[in-house]
Amino acid sequence: PKVTCDITPYANRYEINFKNEIDDSEDYQELMSIIRQASPHDIIEVYLETCGGRLDVGLQLIDELNRCPAQKVCYVSSGTASMGTIIFLAVEWDMIDVSPLSTFHFHSVSYGSVGKHQDNIERVDHIQKLTSKIHDKYYKGVLTDKQIEDITKNKAELSILGEDLIKAVRAKHEKVTEAPDIVDSDED
């Protein structure tokens, strides 16, 4: 034949919409089961527009998405915040499509604690260690050291336009051999 095509058929397309706060893990068990069952011939499209949510549940979702062999695409149109920014930066996306006018909102972890005094102290210490590791692993190289310090130590809130965050993500991934395809929503 004069023309050949390499077509990769997708068996299933899954659309995941994070529009609300990420809360109780029981609400996400069915979703995580679907992610676990996806094959390399499937595509998972994630629309990430969440205001954030529970750290433990978000970390579960990140792990499930990163273990998933399907092609993973992330779309951010209006913006995402808090746990949503961690999901965006932590998942190994095959492609990301971010509106230049979207907003990414970063801040220190928020939580409450109930229980015995010593248990609370230990919990605070643990959360500090955990979030430090998360910031080092996912925020470092995208945010400046000063921005991370302001968020973690000075109670600062940081909002970044999508176009600026994408520039930082591109710069970080220049060192990585398998960076995701990045699409600017306003480019044709």
Side-chain angles (χ1 to χ4, degrees), residues 8 54 65 111 115 154 159 163:
T8 305
R54 287 185 44 175
L65 284 164
Y111 62 94
N154 301 327
S159 293
E163 65 185 356

Side-chain angles (χ1 to χ4, degrees), residues 55-56 59 125-135:
L55 183 63
D56 58 339
L59 293 175
D125 288 344
H126 172 74
I127 294 293
Q128 176 60 40
K129 289 176 191 168
L130 175 62
T131 56
S132 242
K133 287 181 181 275
I134 289 168
H135 295 145

Side-chain angles (χ1 to χ4, degrees), residues 49-109:
E49 306 290 332
T50 181
C51 62
R54 287 185 44 175
L55 183 63
D56 58 339
V57 179
L59 293 175
Q60 283 179 299
L61 289 165
I62 289 166
D63 286 345
E64 294 297 345
L65 284 164
N66 281 338
R67 280 193 287 266
C68 178
Q71 181 179 358
K72 296 174 287 284
V73 180
C74 181
Y75 298 94
V76 180
S77 294
S78 62
T80 193
S82 192
M83 189 65 227
T85 65
I86 298 171
I87 292 170
F88 179 79
L89 293 172
V91 171
E92 298 163 5
W93 304 107
D94 295 293
M95 187 180 93
I96 54 178
D97 184 346
V98 175
S99 169
L101 299 178
S102 61
T103 299
F104 287 78
H105 186 75
F106 299 85
H107 64 85
S108 181
V109 65

Side-chain angles (χ1 to χ4, degrees), residues 5-13 39-43 70-71:
C5 295
D6 180 21
I7 300 174
T8 305
Y10 291 104
N12 295 297
R13 178 184 161 273
S39 78
H41 299 291
D42 295 333
I43 185 168
Q71 181 179 358

